[in-house]
């Protein structure tokens, strides 16, 4: 989603006739005085110099061209691009600043500076300059497009969405712009709109692996798992050697009812095999001292208010500072509360923006990371692919798209617990299992969570079931099971809450799916998104949470527990099928797991028929969670340190 | 690119520039402002916007030049007076601020902001009841303006009517329970008056509303520990730390409770970070908390220095000068030249804006003294020794830079009665160093000073509790 630049003209922009006219004019002028070359001539000279590999002289020529035509946006952008190619962005930035001072009312030099700043990782300043430029030239949609790209790269999604919409209104035929817009919509949890945009791009200009990957994700997030899987299959058929096609399949597989642990492991292995990696594994200079202080790298992912943040932060904060120090290797979100806590806990920070996997791996190695913990997987902001370059001697997979085994031979360990991977499950993983004595995560409850509400059953006279999961997890088998529960408990209601349900089309499809099992629409309440605190408060309307399968709830299950609502789960074999089981077991509610769909339905009905037990459980649940290992950050931090130390000692012995 | 520029375009560009400035996007506002100046003929609005931007950028001299020229060209434009009044107030010239604000009110009697500015300037001039009248009118015109409300409550407190101040704030919280600034101030006033249960109630109401604010949590922790509810206090401190992990003020607050481990000393970075984050509110905060040391230093100099005989004193070095509170206290005395040293660049900016120092240096006090070649008639250190443990190196360095007979005047904290170090020095639970009078006496003798005074003096109020300490006046032998 980088801002795009005008291509270099294959030949000088003017045709032969212009050249002849120019030459004759030049001859005429030459009789009087030597005429200075104009912008087009300097641009032509620059193109020639670029072609012959003389980048710095080319940059100088382009600078002359731009001085002759300072209003040209093309020239400003080419300058910025060439300055980066030539490795001289800082000097060019100063020259463009001088040009701005000379022509303060021209947007082009501002845009050139903005793109240089963007390339230097200074996205905030870049966006501000582009905002000034768009104010000066509101009719030039190219500036909006550049602004949108910079904002998206800076993870300022609502502002990016607005800029994309403006740019697209001016130029609806710009497919690449529309594609990037679709990605931003998807990140903003508007998968249905994203899907429409991406399908429009597909219809207009055909496929590529990136488009198919994004389209599959958007389709999945709308709750259309089979269609998403179809798109993934098409991607794999068309681009079998492309890692992205494999990643697309790997992203959809865990949500399908029939996917088992072995299928996931094999798909992950096939995906990992396509990743670029060095021919020979590198040697490490890290001292093989089992007892020394270790430097941990937290790779990729959203180290912020996000499941990764809520489930890992407290553990990292409570690592013994004498034994471990942290380096964040992820985008930083200065306005985010949890991001600031990560930053405060870390000794250093590496911003991966704009760095290739090789460059990133090089930087991680240079930083002397002993244990690299991947927290992003194949996700949107994840950089797990850099692990294939073996940047650290010990590499561990933890939360963050931790659906199942990564399949990467370079990932040595998989952080888990005895509920996620009981005896006999090791064969489902390509990594060695690094088992925690309690649950594999530690929860940071939000400081502003509302109080636990009284059981809604008491006020309403009927039980209310609910699920607040990502709609991607709600497949046909899950809807069938929920419908059976509603049939078994006659007056009961069901609240399904998920971002895409705000879209009428998605909501209608879900209602119809329940309708096919004979569930009247009035027994269903479909809810769209809300702010986090309001989201938590809505658990006050639910008596029992019903889990999804095979992909179970993660943070959602934990948050429901915090809000006094237990989740009934149906665990499977894969890692993502056992999240809820792990969290429930960690607070001593392991019996809330069903053995099969029939048992799931029977347990739901039986528990709904025992309001007294439910009310007692609800009343004491927050205190129980607070006192459980799930929220015991000190205990978790100590155990995490022991586990990581074990992985390190293993490497030292090799 | 604007081919032809009409007044509509200029107005639109000015609106955008104003939006950029208001939202703090200065890197967008600056080029746009430059473009506007190229495209448009000068106008009062452009002059006003340029000045506002310059103030935001910290270019105070440029802003003043812009406003002076603007007022000369458009003497009927109230906005220019409002901005110049604000600038004067920022630079500590309350009389000039009051004059400009009054002019703006004359030109635009309904201008609530001008009236409020007049009120705050009058408050600075010690005219609390006039200030209350102005601010009450501003607030009546804009009852949801939190800044007006906070200023009125401050004026009411200064005018000796804390009950009215509390009522003003209570009304604000009734109007907008989510107003964090109003709630913080209410809690601060409650703490200052020892109404700890009230402070806790304010914090609990915030929690019920879903407000998660580090300062509110931190102050709740203080109030709870004062009430002896230590378990709850600890959890509030932990909450404060979670909400404001990199906020140095919160860290300091929490360090006090022992919730995070103390360092062996307050490192230079720590001191710099605490005060950089704190600089804009430092004066009001310390003065509001009853910080008395600058006044004590003034009195000491008047007792022991040539000032007692009406003669000038100088040169004088102010170590840890901060925002320049000591310079303010010495404002009307012939103390020239006065030099300042501090670790915090932000603090020094505020000190520079006061224009009371001949020179200012960003440096560690000891390092500065060791590098300095000058000889001083007096060296002052207000509220600085609490960041140091062992005083020997600093006292020796101070002695080396003093002329024979020169004065060394400083404050130190002795710690609360139960915790005061019997001999020597120690790190208090407050995260600040305490020094016993005996230790200071001995250290002064080791450095070659004669002790003229070692007077127990309350330093300031810390959340309503007096901080015990002493003022030392030493003479170089």
């Amino acid at each position: 989603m980088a801002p795009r630049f005008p291509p270099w003209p294959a030949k000088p922009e003017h045709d032969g006739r212009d050249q002849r006219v120019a030459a004759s004019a030049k001859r005429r002028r030459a009789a009087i005085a030597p005429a200075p070359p104009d912008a087009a001539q300097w641009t032509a000279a620059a193109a020639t110099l670029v072609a012959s590999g003389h980048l710095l002289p080319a940059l100088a020529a382009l600078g002359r061209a731009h001085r002759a035509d300072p209003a040209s946006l093309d020239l400003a952008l080419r300058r910025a691009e060439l300055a980066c190619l030539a490795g001289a962005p800082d000097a060019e930035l100063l020259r463009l600043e001088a040009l701005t001072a000379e022509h303060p009312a021209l947007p082009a030099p501002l845009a050139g500076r903005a793109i240089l700043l963007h390339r230097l990782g200074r996205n905030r300043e870049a966006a501000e300059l582009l905002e000034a430029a768009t104010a000066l030239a509101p009719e030039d949609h190219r500036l909006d497009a550049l602004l949108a790209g910079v904002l998206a790269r800076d993870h300022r999604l609502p502002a990016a969405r607005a800029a994309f919409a403006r740019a697209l209104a001016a130029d609806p035929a710009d497919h690449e712009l529309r594609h990037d817009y679709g990605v931003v919509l998807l990140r903003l949890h508007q998968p249905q709109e994203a899907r429409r945009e991406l399908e429009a791009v597909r219809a207009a200009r055909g496929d590529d692996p990136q488009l198919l990957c994004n389209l599959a994700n958007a389709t999945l997030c709308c709750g259309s798992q089979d269609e998403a899987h179809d798109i993934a299959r098409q991607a794999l058929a068309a681009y079998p050697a492309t890692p992205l096609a494999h990643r697309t399949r790997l992203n959809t597989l865990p949500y399908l009812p029939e996917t088992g642990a072995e299928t996931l492991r094999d798909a992950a292995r096939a995906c990992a095999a396509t990743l670029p990696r060095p021919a020979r594994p590198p040697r490490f200079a890290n001292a093989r001292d089992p007892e020394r202080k270790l430097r941990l790298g937290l790779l990729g992912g959203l180290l912020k208010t996000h499941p990764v943040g809520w489930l890992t932060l407290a553990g990292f904060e409570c690592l013994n500072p004498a034994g471990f120090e942290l380096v964040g290797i992820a985008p930083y979100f200065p306005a985010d509360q949890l991001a600031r806590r990560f930053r405060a806990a870390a000794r250093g920070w590496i911003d991966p923006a704009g760095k290739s996997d090789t460059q990133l791996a090089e930087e991680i190695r240079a930083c002397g990371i002993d244990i690299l913990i991947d927290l992003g997987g194949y996700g949107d902001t994840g950089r797990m692919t850099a692990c294939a370059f073996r940047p650290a001697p010990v590499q561990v997979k933890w939360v963050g798209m931790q659906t199942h085994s990564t399949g990467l031979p370079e990932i040595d360990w998989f952080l888990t617990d005895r509920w996620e991977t009981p005896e006999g499950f090791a064969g489902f993983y390509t990594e060695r299992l690094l088992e925690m004595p309690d649950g594999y995560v530690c929860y940071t409850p939000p400081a502003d969570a509302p109080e636990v509400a009284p059981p809604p059953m008491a006020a309403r006279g009927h039980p209310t079931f609910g699920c607040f999961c990502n709609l991607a997890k709600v497949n046909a088998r899950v809807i069938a099971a929920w419908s059976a529960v509603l049939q078994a408990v006659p007056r009961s209601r069901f609240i399904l809450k998920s971002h895409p349900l705000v879209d009428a089309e998605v909501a209608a499809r879900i209602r119809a799916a329940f309708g096919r099992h004979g569930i009247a629409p009035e027994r269903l309440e479909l809810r769209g998104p809300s702010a986090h605190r309001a989201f938590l408060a809505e658990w006050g309307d639910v008596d029992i949470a019903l889990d999804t399968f095979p992909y179970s709830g993660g943070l959602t299950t934990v948050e429901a527990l915090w809000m006094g609502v237990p989740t009934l789960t149906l665990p499977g074999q894969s890692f993502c099928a056992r999240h809820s089981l792990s969290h429930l077991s960690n607070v001593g509610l392991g019996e809330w797991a069903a053995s099969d769909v029939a048992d799931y339905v029977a347990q739901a009905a039986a528990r709904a028929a025992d309001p007294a037990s439910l009310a007692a459980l609800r009343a004491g649940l927050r205190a129980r969670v607070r006192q459980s290992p799930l929220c015991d950050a000190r205990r978790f931090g100590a155990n995490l340190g022991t586990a990581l130390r074990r992985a390190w000692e293993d490497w030292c012995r090799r | 690119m604007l081919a032809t520029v009409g007044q509509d375009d200029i107005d639109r560009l000015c609106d955008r520039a104003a939006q950029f400035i208001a939202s703090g996007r200065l890197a967008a506002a600056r080029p746009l402002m430059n473009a506007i100046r190229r495209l448009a003929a000068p106008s009062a609005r452009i002059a006003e916007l340029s000045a506002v931007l310059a103030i935001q950028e910290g270019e105070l001299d440029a802003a003043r030049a812009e406003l002076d020229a603007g007022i000369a060209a458009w003497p009927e434009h109230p906005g220019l007076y409002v901005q110049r009044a604000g600038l004067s107030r920022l630079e500590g010239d309350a009389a000039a601020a009051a004059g400009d604000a009054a002019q703006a009110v004359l030109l635009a009697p309904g201008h609530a902001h001008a009236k409020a500015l007049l009120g705050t300037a009058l408050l600075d001039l010690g005219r609390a009841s006039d200030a209350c009248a102005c601010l009450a009118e501003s607030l009546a015109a804009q009852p949801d303006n939190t800044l007006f409300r906070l200023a009125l409550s401050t004026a009411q407190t200064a005018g000796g009517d804390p009950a009215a101040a509390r009522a003003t704030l209570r009304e604000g919280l009734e109007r907008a329970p989510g107003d964090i600034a109003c709630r913080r101030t209410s809690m601060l006033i409650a703490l200052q008056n020892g109404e700890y249960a009230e402070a806790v109630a304010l914090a609990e109401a915030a929690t019920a509303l879903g407000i998660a604010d580090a300062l509110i949590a931190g102050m709740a922790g203080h109030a709870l520990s004062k009430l002896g509810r230590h378990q709850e206090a600890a959890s509030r401190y932990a909450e404060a730390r979670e909400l404001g992990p990199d906020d140095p003020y919160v860290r300091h607050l929490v360090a006090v409770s022992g919730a995070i481990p103390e360092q062996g000393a307050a490192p230079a970075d720590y001191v710099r970070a605490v005060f950089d984050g704190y600089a804009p509110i430092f004066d009001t905060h310390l003065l509001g908390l009853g910080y008395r040391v600058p006044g004590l230093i003034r009195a000491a100099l008047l007792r022991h220095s040539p000032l007692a005989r009406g003669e000038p004193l100088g040169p004088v070095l102010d170590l840890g000068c901060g925002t320049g509170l000591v310079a303010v206290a010495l404002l009307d005395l012939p103390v020239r030249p006065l030099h300042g040293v501090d670790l915090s660049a932000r603090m020094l900016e505020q000190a520079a804006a006061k224009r009371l120092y001949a020179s200012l240096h960003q440096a560690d006090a000891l390092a500065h003294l060791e590098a300095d070649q000058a000889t001083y008639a007096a060296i002052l250190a207000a509220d600085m020794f609490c960041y140091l443990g062992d005083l020997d190196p600093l006292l020796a360095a101070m002695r080396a830079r003093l002329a024979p007979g020169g004065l060394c005047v400083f404050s130190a904290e002795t710690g609360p009665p139960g915790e005061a170090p019997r001999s020597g020095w120690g790190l208090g639970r407050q995260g600040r160093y305490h020094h016993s009078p005996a230790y200071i006496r001995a250290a002064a003798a080791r450095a070659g000073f004669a002790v003229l005074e070692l007077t127990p003096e309350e330093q300031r109020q810390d959340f309503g509790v007096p901080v015990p300490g002493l003022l030392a006046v030493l003479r170089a032998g």
Side-chain angles (χ1 to χ4, degrees):
Chain A
M1 215 184 300
R4 277 163 291 107
F5 305 97
W8 282 99
K11 282 186 283 185
E13 266 169 340
H14 37 251
D15 63 17
R17 191 180 153 278
D18 279 353
Q19 273 180 338
R20 281 192 300 279
V21 173
S24 97
K26 197 175 172 185
R27 272 195 302 279
R28 265 182 279 123
R29 278 200 305 271
I32 312 160
D38 63 13
Q41 288 166 318
W42 281 119
T43 308
T48 312
L49 287 163
V50 168
S52 60
H54 296 88
L55 297 186
L56 284 172
L59 188 58
L62 209 52
R64 301 296 290 268
H66 197 201
R67 287 191 65 78
D69 183 8
S72 164
L73 181 59
D74 278 8
L75 284 174
L77 299 184
R78 277 196 197 140
R79 261 182 107 166
E81 180 197 22
L82 186 54
C84 295
L85 268 178
D90 295 294
E92 200 63 5
L93 196 55
L94 290 175
R95 287 187 206 107
L96 276 164
E97 275 171 27
L99 195 65
T100 313
E102 220 176 300
H103 305 281
L106 292 181
L110 291 176
R113 278 167 65 191
I115 295 312
L116 276 170
L117 288 168
H118 164 65
R119 291 294 189 84
L120 291 168
R122 291 157 65 180
N123 282 324
R124 195 148 290 262
E125 290 163 86
E128 291 194 11
L129 285 187
L130 284 168
E131 283 185 295
T134 52
L136 287 170
E139 72 292 345
D140 190 343
H141 83 275
R142 295 173 302 171
L143 294 170
D144 277 319
L146 290 169
L147 176 60
V150 170
L151 290 169
R153 276 297 173 95
D154 202 29
H155 308 282
R156 287 150 71 188
L157 301 179
R161 174 175 55 195
F164 273 121
R166 285 196 303 273
L168 276 171
D171 187 3
D174 188 332
H175 306 308
E176 299 322 304
L177 201 59
R178 191 170 298 281
H179 175 258
D180 294 350
Y181 179 48
V183 174
V184 165
L185 290 172
L186 183 54
R187 286 195 199 162
L188 281 166
H189 304 291
Q190 295 176 264
Q192 185 68 12
E193 287 94 327
R195 192 177 173 188
R196 286 185 203 116
E197 300 295 339
L198 294 170
E199 275 172 350
V201 175
R202 190 181 192 192
R205 72 120 167 85
D207 288 340
D208 66 50
Q210 187 69 61
L211 173 68
L212 289 175
C213 180
N214 292 326
L215 182 59
N217 281 342
T219 307
L220 186 68
C221 290
C222 293
S224 303
Q225 296 84 4
D226 293 337
E227 289 166 68
H229 190 54
D230 260 356
I231 297 168
R233 261 204 296 257
Q234 291 165 32
L236 205 56
Y239 311 98
T242 314
L244 203 55
H246 285 270
R247 283 170 63 172
T248 307
R249 184 163 76 118
L250 210 48
N251 283 349
T252 55
L253 271 178
Y255 299 92
L256 304 176
E258 63 276 11
T259 304
E262 277 143 339
T263 313
L264 274 181
R265 179 201 58 204
D266 295 343
R269 211 177 243 157
C271 179
T274 63
L275 293 180
R277 46 170 58 79
R280 267 179 303 165
R283 289 165 176 236
F284 291 99
N286 309 47
R288 289 180 189 260
D289 173 356
E291 281 160 29
R292 72 176 170 85
K293 187 171 185 170
L294 298 178
R295 185 170 288 184
L296 309 181
L298 315 186
L299 176 65
L302 295 165
L303 304 183
K304 59 177 288 230
T305 303
H306 177 272
V308 173
W310 294 117
L311 297 177
T312 66
L313 173 61
F316 283 129
E317 282 177 336
C318 289
L319 279 172
N320 177 4
F324 301 93
E325 63 185 24
L326 303 174
V327 175
I329 310 166
Y332 178 55
F333 300 86
D336 185 273
Q337 206 66 248
L338 292 196
R340 288 167 59 203
R341 281 176 65 182
F342 271 106
R343 187 89 167 203
R347 179 155 179 241
W349 206 273
I350 295 174
D351 184 356
K355 288 167 192 154
S356 69
D357 282 348
T358 356
Q359 287 168 329
L360 185 58
E362 203 49 59
E363 197 167 335
I364 294 170
R365 198 172 297 125
C367 173
I369 299 292
D370 298 307
I371 302 181
L372 186 65
I373 303 174
D374 180 78
L375 299 167
Y378 288 131
D380 198 15
T381 50
R383 295 301 297 264
M384 193 169 74
T385 47
C387 293
F389 291 88
R390 233 324 153 191
V394 177
Q395 304 192 147
V396 180
K397 177 62 200 158
W398 195 21
V399 182
M401 298 287 284
Q402 192 184 14
T403 47
H404 195 66
S405 174
T406 65
L408 254 86
E410 291 85 4
I411 301 268
D412 308 291
W413 299 90
F414 195 90
L415 202 72
T416 179
D417 61 45
R418 63 183 184 280
W419 301 295
E420 283 281 3
T421 49
E423 193 76 33
F425 274 43
F428 297 145
Y429 294 79
T430 61
E431 305 87 348
R432 295 166 73 189
L433 300 179
L434 193 56
E435 197 175 278
M436 295 286 287
D438 307 307
Y440 78 108
V441 293
C442 179
Y443 177 51
T444 303
D448 63 344
E451 291 305 311
V452 173
M457 199 188 304
R460 295 181 187 179
H462 61 77
T464 307
F465 298 100
C467 177
F468 291 6
C469 274
N470 178 353
L471 203 59
K473 297 178 181 177
V474 180
N475 61 40
R477 233 180 119 212
V478 171
I479 291 183
W482 289 345
S483 299
V485 171
L486 286 169
Q487 300 286 20
V489 187
R491 292 184 55 238
S492 62
R493 300 290 173 107
F494 192 92
I495 298 175
L496 181 58
K497 180 175 171 64
S498 191
H499 275 277
L501 290 172
V502 75
D503 188 280
E505 202 180 311
V506 177
R509 193 163 41 69
I510 294 291
R511 271 202 200 87
F514 275 93
R516 282 194 286 280
H517 297 285
I519 302 301
E522 64 270 14
R523 296 185 68 190
L524 280 183
E525 192 183 334
L526 304 186
R527 297 185 183 179
S530 43
H532 189 229
R533 186 162 191 269
F535 178 97
L536 293 178
E538 288 181 53
W539 282 115
D541 300 334
V542 176
D543 292 296
I544 297 174
L546 294 182
D547 205 4
T548 49
F549 46 87
Y551 202 136
S552 74
L555 179 64
T556 316
T557 301
V558 174
E559 286 182 341
L561 287 170
W562 187 251
M563 295 310 300
V565 180
T567 296
L568 178 64
T569 187
L570 175 53
Q573 286 182 325
S574 61
F575 197 76
C576 62
R578 307 177 69 81
H579 289 336
S580 292
L581 174 68
S582 164
H583 305 326
L584 289 163
S585 305
N586 208 10
V587 301
L589 294 178
E591 75 277 10
W592 280 72
S595 53
D596 55 27
V597 174
D599 185 34
Y600 180 89
V601 175
Q603 274 209 44
R607 293 190 186 276
D610 185 4
S613 304
L614 266 182
L617 178 62
R618 188 179 185 104
L621 199 46
R622 181 172 291 185
R624 178 180 191 148
V625 172
R626 190 186 281 121
Q627 286 150 21
S628 76
L630 181 59
C631 286
D632 191 339
R634 277 166 200 264
R635 169 174 167 151
F636 187 90
N639 290 335
L640 180 64
T642 308
L644 293 173
R645 187 62 66 180
R646 184 151 62 86
W648 178 251
E649 287 163 358
D650 175 81
W651 183 76
C652 290
R653 279 195 300 272
R654 278 161 195 255
Chain B
M1 150 87 211
L2 302 161
T4 53
V5 185
Q7 189 55 44
D8 285 356
D9 290 317
I10 298 300
D11 289 345
R12 183 182 56 77
L13 291 178
C14 286
D15 290 346
R16 285 294 276 160
Q19 281 171 11
F20 288 148
I21 295 170
S23 59
R25 286 177 283 175
L26 304 186
R30 173 46 63 200
L32 192 55
M33 217 50 239
N34 292 346
I36 291 169
R37 300 187 78 127
R38 174 65 60 96
L39 294 168
S43 73
R45 183 171 191 211
I46 293 174
E48 186 184 341
L49 274 177
S50 300
V52 176
L53 178 57
I55 292 172
Q56 296 270 314
E57 291 171 334
E59 300 289 339
L60 302 188
D61 290 339
R64 183 163 288 281
E66 185 81 51
L67 290 165
D68 289 348
I71 286 170
W74 300 281
E76 304 294 307
H77 187 80
L80 293 168
Y81 294 97
V82 169
Q83 295 309 330
R84 196 167 68 178
L87 180 58
S88 295
R89 188 155 185 268
L90 206 61
E91 293 180 333
D93 188 345
D100 274 339
Q103 184 65 31
V105 173
L106 275 178
L107 288 169
H111 200 307
H113 183 186
K115 212 170 278 172
L117 207 47
L118 179 57
T120 48
L122 289 169
L123 182 60
D124 292 343
L125 291 170
R127 291 165 57 185
S129 60
D130 294 340
C132 285
C134 277
L135 288 162
E137 282 185 35
S138 308
L139 188 61
Q142 293 183 15
D144 291 324
N145 188 315
T146 301
L147 289 177
F148 294 176
R149 188 172 293 281
L150 294 181
L152 177 59
S153 75
T154 309
Q156 286 165 330
T157 309
D161 194 352
R166 230 166 301 163
T168 300
L169 292 170
R170 197 176 307 123
E171 187 197 75
L173 283 177
E174 278 161 16
R175 295 185 72 90
D179 188 326
I180 288 176
C182 213
R183 191 169 296 274
R184 286 175 174 173
T185 311
S186 303
M187 286 184 70
L188 196 61
I189 289 183
L191 289 174
Q192 280 166 352
N193 290 302
E195 293 160 353
Y196 303 116
E198 167 72 6
V200 171
L202 282 161
E204 279 170 359
T207 306
L209 290 163
I211 296 169
D213 177 73
L215 267 180
I216 290 176
M219 287 194 280
H222 266 262
L224 286 164
S225 61
K226 292 292 175 204
L227 292 168
R229 291 155 67 179
H230 297 294
Q231 203 68 32
E232 293 162 84
S235 97
R236 282 301 215 161
Y237 281 130
E239 186 188 335
R241 187 185 155 221
E242 283 177 11
L243 293 169
D246 46 6
D247 182 329
Y249 180 60
V250 168
R251 280 189 77 81
H252 184 65
L253 211 63
V254 178
V256 165
S257 76
I260 48 177
E262 293 290 356
Q263 306 288 323
D269 276 354
Y270 169 75
V271 175
R272 193 181 297 124
V274 167
F275 289 117
D276 273 348
Y278 211 25
I281 53 163
F282 191 59
D283 282 5
T284 40
H285 187 87
L286 283 188
L287 292 172
L289 291 177
Y291 181 76
R292 307 169 60 222
V293 174
L296 295 173
I297 288 180
R298 176 191 167 97
L301 290 176
L302 280 171
R303 280 196 298 278
H304 295 285
S305 80
L307 294 170
R309 303 185 293 274
E311 293 166 18
L313 174 69
V316 174
L317 181 64
D318 181 4
L319 287 179
C321 65
T323 63
L325 291 171
V326 168
V328 171
L330 302 178
L331 184 59
D332 56 333
L333 299 176
V335 178
R336 303 284 184 276
L338 178 60
H339 303 278
V341 176
D342 203 285
L343 270 175
S344 158
R346 296 273 294 280
M347 288 276 187
L348 287 169
E349 276 171 29
Q350 304 256 320
K354 293 189 169 67
R355 297 183 180 175
L356 297 171
Y357 289 92
S359 73
L360 287 165
H361 306 272
Q362 187 187 353
D364 172 71
L366 186 58
H368 182 81
L369 287 169
E370 284 171 355
D372 199 356
Q373 299 299 315
T375 301
Y376 297 96
I379 300 180
L380 319 173
D383 199 29
M384 194 195 86
F385 282 23
C386 58
Y387 299 104
L388 299 169
D390 179 6
L391 297 182
D392 281 345
L394 189 75
L395 284 173
M398 288 167 100
R399 172 66 193 84
R401 296 267 61 83
L402 277 170
L407 291 178
C408 169
V409 185
F410 61 86
S411 65
E413 294 183 11
T414 47
E419 291 176 32
R422 288 224 181 83
S423 62
W425 50 271
L427 186 61
R429 279 185 62 238
Q430 302 282 323
R432 299 158 75 98
Y433 287 92
H434 300 155
H435 300 91
S436 74
Y439 170 77
I440 289 177
R441 201 174 284 281
R446 282 196 292 277
F449 283 110
V451 178
L452 301 185
E453 276 189 28
L454 211 57
T455 319
E457 290 285 1
E458 175 189 317
Q459 308 280 298
R460 66 199 151 78
Q461 300 269 319
D462 204 1
F463 290 102
V465 181
V467 174
L470 55 80
L471 188 83
V473 185
L474 315 180
R475 172 160 285 151

